[in-house]
C-alpha cells in the first residue's frame, strides 16, 4: 500500500508464539465471563433465594452490571461498537426495570429477579456475539447457515407460544399466581432480546443494523407503554410484540425466495409480446454478472460491513489508511481507504483510477492482486481498494527488526527466494505486460510476505503505465522514496532502469538486514556506496555485508547477489541490466561479473536529502531498452 506504515509497533513473532498468545487471551476472556456469571448467579440464588438478603443481592447485581459493561466496551473493536454496546446495555436494564413497575405483589424482592435476569440476558448476548465469530471462522456453507437460521427461528417461536399458552391456561383455570405472571413476562422479555440478536446478526450492513434496532425498540416500547393502562395485560402485550417482531423478520428474509413465485403468478396475466420482450431485457440488465478473477465493485455500505465499520486499522500513511476485513466466505482482506478532503481525494481521483486500471490488468503470482474497489464520492462514500491480506506484513518489518531472533526467522534461503520473486514481478511489469509498467517506488515496505514468506510486490499508486514505443512527457515530482530513488528521478528522467536501481538498493538491505540510508541519523546518502561495496568484494570481505542474525549462509550465493546489486545501482542508467537479465543472473542462466569501475562521484554531486530540489517540471521518458 502506498506510503503506509504498520500501525502496530510491536515486533513480529513466530507464528506458534502468536497462536499461544491468542489462546492466552481467549482463556483470560473465558475466565472473566465465567467469573461474572458466577457472581451474578451467587447473588441471586444464594443471597436472595436462600438467605433472603435482598439488599445485598441487589447491590451485587448493580455492581456486576457495570463490570459487564466494561467487558462489552473493552472488547468492542471500534468507537461505534462501543457506543452501540453501551446503548444496548442501558436499554436492556431499562426495559426490565420498567416492566417490573406496577406488578401486584406482596413485596419488592421480585425486582431483584428482573435485575438479575437483565444481567443474565446481557452476559448471554455477549457470549453469542463472541461465539458468532467462531461460526464465521469455520466458513459454514450457505445451506448449513440457512438450516441453523430456520432452527433458531422455529425454536424461538415454540418457546414464545408455549410460554404464552401455559400462561393463558393458568389464567383461565383460575390458579394464576404472581409468580406465574412474573415468569411468563420474563420469558417473553428474554425471547424478545433473542429476536433482537437474530435481527442484528443477520443484517448485512450498518444501515440495516440501525434500522433493525430502531424497529425493535419502537415496537417494544409501544407495547410496553400501552401495558401501563392495564398491568394485567402486560404479558399479553409483550407476547404481541414478540409475534410482530419475529413475523417481520420472517417476511424480511423469505421475501427474496417468495418473489420468483409471485413473478410467476404475474406471468399468467399474459402480457403482450412487446411487453414480455421488454421485461426480459430489463431482467437481463438487472441480473448481476460476475467474471471470475476480475476486481469487484463494492458499495460503500459493503466496505463498511466487511471491515466491521473500520474497526481494525493495520496500517496508515500520509495519503491512505489500511483496515483489516473479511469477505462473506471468510477470506481475509486489507482495505485501503484513500484520504478524503472536502469531498475529493487529496491525491486526486485520477491517481485512484490509474491505480485501479493498472492493478486490474496485471496477473502474476508475485504481484498483489486487486480483489475489488469502491468509487462512491457522494452520500458519504469514499475511495477504497480491496486487496488480499498478507499475514506476515511487509519485508521491512522483518529485515529491520531490532530483534536478532526476529531477523533469524527470515533465513538466507527465504531471502534469496524473495529476491527472485520481486525480480520476476518487476521483469513481468517491464516486459510482459500489454502496456509496460514502471513501479517507481520499489522498497522493502512495498514488498508483502505471505504465509510461506514469499514476496509480493504492492503499491501501484504512483506507477506509470506506458505504451511500448511511445516517448512520453510526464512529471515525476514527488514520486519514489529517498534512499531508493535512481539519480535520474531527481531531474524527472525515468525509465525501467529506475526500478532496477531501486531493486538493487532493496537487495543490499535484504542481504544486510540494515538500511542503506537512515533519515533519522543523516540527511546525506553516501555517494561512494557502490565503490565501498566493490572494495569489500575485492578484499574477499563480502560476508561482512551479511546480516549477522543469519546462519548457514551460502557464500557463493551471497557473492552473486552482491554483484547483481552492484550492477543495479550504477550511477549511469544505461549501464544497469534489465530486470529480465537480473532474473537470469540470479537463477544461474547468465554469468555475473562485477561492473566496470565507474568514475567516483564528486562530493558536490552527493544528494542532500534535507534540502529541497529544484527540478524541471517535465522530462522525457527514454523508452529504449538496452
Amino acid at each position: 500500500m502506498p506510503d503506509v506504515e504498520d500501525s502496530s509497533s510491536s515486533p513480529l513473532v513466530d507464528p506458534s508464539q502468536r497462536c499461544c498468545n491468542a489462546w492466552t487471551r481467549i482463556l483470560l476472556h473465558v475466565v472473566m465471563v465465567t467469573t461474572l456469571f458466577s457472581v451474578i448467579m451467587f447473588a441471586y440464588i444464594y443471597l436472595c433465594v436462600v438467605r433472603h438478603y435482598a439488599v445485598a443481592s441487589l447491590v451485587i447485581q448493580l455492581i456486576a452490571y457495570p463490570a459487564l459493561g466494561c467487558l462489552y466496551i473493552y472488547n468492542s473493536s471500534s468507537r461505534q461498537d462501543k457506543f452501540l454496546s453501551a446503548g444496548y446495555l442501558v436499554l436492556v436494564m431499562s426495559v426490565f426495570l420498567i416492566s417490573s413497575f406496577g406488578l401486584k405483589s406482596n413485596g419488592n424482592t421480585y425486582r431483584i429477579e428482573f435485575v438479575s435476569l437483565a444481567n443474565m440476558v446481557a452476559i448471554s448476548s455477549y457470549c453469542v456475539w463472541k461465539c458468532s465469530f467462531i461460526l464465521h471462522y469455520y466458513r459454514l456453507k450457505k445451506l448449513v447457515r440457512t438450516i441453523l437460521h430456520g432452527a433458531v427461528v422455529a425454536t424461538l417461536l415454540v418457546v414464545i407460544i408455549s410460554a404464552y399458552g401455559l400462561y393463558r391456561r393458568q389464567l383461565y383455570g383460575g390458579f394464576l399466581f404472581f409468580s406465574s405472571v412474573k415468569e411468563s413476562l420474563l420469558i417473553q422479555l428474554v425471547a424478545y432480546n433473542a429476536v433482537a440478536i437474530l435481527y442484528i446478526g443477520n443484517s448485512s450492513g450498518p444501515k440495516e443494523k440501525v434500522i433493525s434496532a430502531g424497529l425493535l425498540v419502537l415496537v417494544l416500547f409501544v407495547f410496553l407503554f400501552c401495558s401501563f393502562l392495564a398491568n394485567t395485560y402486560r404479558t399479553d402485550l409483550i407476547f404481541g410484540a414478540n409475534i410482530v417482531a419475529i413475523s417481520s423478520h420472517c417476511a424480511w428474509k423469505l421475501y427474496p425466495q417468495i418473489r420468483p413465485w409471485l413473478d410467476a403468478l404475474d406471468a399468467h396475466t399474459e402480457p403482450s409480446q412487446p411487453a414480455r420482450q421488454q421485461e426480459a431485457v430489463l431482467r437481463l440488465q438487472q441480473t448481476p454478472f460476475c467474471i471470475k478473477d476480475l476486481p469487484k465493485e463494492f458499495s460503500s455500505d459493503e466496505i463498511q460491513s466487511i471491515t466491521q465499520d473500520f474497526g481494525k486499522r493495520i496500517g496508515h500513511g500520509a495519503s491512505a489508511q489500511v483496515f483489516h476485513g473479511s469477505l462473506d466466505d471468510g477470506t481475509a482482506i486489507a482495505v485501503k481507504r484513500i484520504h478524503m478532503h472536502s469531498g475529493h481525494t487529496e491525491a486526486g481521483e485520477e491517481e485512484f483510477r490509474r491505480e485501479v486500471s493498472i492493478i486490474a490488468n496485471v496477473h502474476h503470482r508475485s504481484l498483489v492482486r486487486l480483489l475489488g474497489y469502491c468509487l462512491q464520492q457522494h452520500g458519504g462514500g469514499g475511495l477504497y481498494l480491496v486487496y488480499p491480506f498478507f499475514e506476515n506484513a511487509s519485508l521491512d518489518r522483518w529485515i529491520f527488526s531490532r530483534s536478532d531472533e526476529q531477523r533469524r526467522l527470515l533465513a538466507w534461503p527465504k531471502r534469496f527466494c524473495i529476491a527472485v520473486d520481486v525480480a520476476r514481478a518487476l521483469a513481468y511489469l517491464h516486459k510482459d505486460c500489454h502496456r509496460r509498467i514502471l513501479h517507481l517506488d520499489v522498497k522493502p515496505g512495498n514488498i508483502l510476505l505471505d504465509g510461506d514468506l514469499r514476496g509480493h510486490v504492492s503499491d501501484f499508486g504512483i506507477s506509470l503505465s506506458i505504451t511500448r514505443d511511445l516517448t512520453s512527457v510526464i512529471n515525476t515530482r514527488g514520486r519514489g522514496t529517498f534512499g531508493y530513488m535512481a539519480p535520474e528521478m531527481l531531474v524527472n528522467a525515468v525509465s525501467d532502469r529506475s526500478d532496477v536501481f531501486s531493486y538493487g538498493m532493496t537487495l543490499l538491505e535484504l542481504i544486510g538486514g540494515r538500511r542503506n540510508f537512515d533519515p533519522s541519523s543523516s540527511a546525506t546518502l553516501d555517494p561512494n556506496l557502490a565503490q565501498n561495496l566493490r572494495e569489500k568484494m575485492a578484499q574477499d570481505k563480502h560476508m561482512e555485508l551479511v546480516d549477522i542474525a543469519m546462519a548457514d549462509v551460502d557464500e557463493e550465493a551471497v557473492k552473486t547477489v552482491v554483484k547483481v546489486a552492484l550492477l543495479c545501482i550504477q550511477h549511469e542508467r544505461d549501464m544497469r541490466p534489465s530486470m529480465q537479465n537480473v532474473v537470469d543472473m540470479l537463477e544461474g542462466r547468465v554469468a555475473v561479473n562485477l561492473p566496470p569501475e565507474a568514475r567516483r562521484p564528486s562530493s558536490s554531486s552527493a544528494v542532500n536529502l534535507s534540502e529541497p530540489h529544484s527540478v524541471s517540471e517535465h522530462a522525457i521518458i527514454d523508452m529504449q531498452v538496452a
Side-chain angles (χ1 to χ4, degrees), residues 366-368 422 425-426 429 439 446-448 455-460:
S366 296
L367 292 171
V368 175
V422 176
L426 293 175
L429 293 176
H439 189 285
N446 287 332
I447 299 171
L448 303 181
H456 299 262
V457 178
S458 69
D459 181 11
F460 292 83

Side-chain angles (χ1 to χ4, degrees), residues 392 586 594:
N392 281 317
L586 290 176
L594 280 173

Side-chain angles (χ1 to χ4, degrees), residues 222-329:
V222 165
F223 281 84
L224 186 58
F225 286 128
C226 288
S227 70
F228 281 94
L229 300 176
N231 293 327
T232 55
Y233 293 112
R234 183 163 299 163
T235 302
D236 303 81
L237 290 170
I238 299 300
F239 169 74
N242 265 312
I243 294 299
V244 169
I246 204 164
S247 300
S248 302
H249 179 78
C250 292
W252 171 33
K253 291 300 179 181
L254 291 176
Y255 177 72
Q257 282 71 35
I258 297 175
R259 183 174 180 178
W261 296 88
L262 297 176
D263 292 341
L265 290 176
D266 292 339
H268 289 294
T269 58
E270 293 294 333
S272 61
Q273 183 69 18
R276 285 201 300 269
Q277 291 178 351
Q278 184 178 6
E279 183 180 357
V281 171
L282 288 174
R283 280 202 302 268
L284 183 61
Q285 292 175 346
Q286 294 173 358
T287 302
F289 180 68
C290 180
I291 300 177
K292 188 178 180 181
D293 293 335
L294 284 183
K296 174 185 176 182
E297 183 173 4
F298 291 91
S299 67
S300 57
D301 287 342
E302 288 176 317
I303 293 293
Q304 282 187 301
S305 176
I306 61 181
T307 59
Q308 295 187 355
D309 293 334
F310 307 102
K312 184 178 180 181
R313 192 178 73 173
I314 56 177
H316 68 282
S319 61
Q321 292 178 307
V322 182
F323 299 88
H324 183 270
S326 59
L327 300 177
D328 291 337
D329 61 358

Side-chain angles (χ1 to χ4, degrees), residues 1 290-299 302-303 306 323-336 352 355-363 367-374 384-390 460:
M1 316 305 160
C290 180
I291 300 177
K292 188 178 180 181
D293 293 335
L294 284 183
K296 174 185 176 182
E297 183 173 4
F298 291 91
S299 67
E302 288 176 317
I303 293 293
I306 61 181
F323 299 88
H324 183 270
S326 59
L327 300 177
D328 291 337
D329 61 358
T331 301
I333 58 170
V335 177
K336 184 175 74 174
F352 178 81
E355 183 165 357
V356 172
S357 62
I358 290 175
I359 304 179
N361 286 283
V362 297
H363 303 281
L367 292 171
V368 175
R369 184 166 64 95
L370 181 67
L371 299 179
Y373 61 94
C374 173
Y384 306 93
L385 293 171
V386 180
Y387 300 96
F389 174 72
F390 288 84
F460 292 83

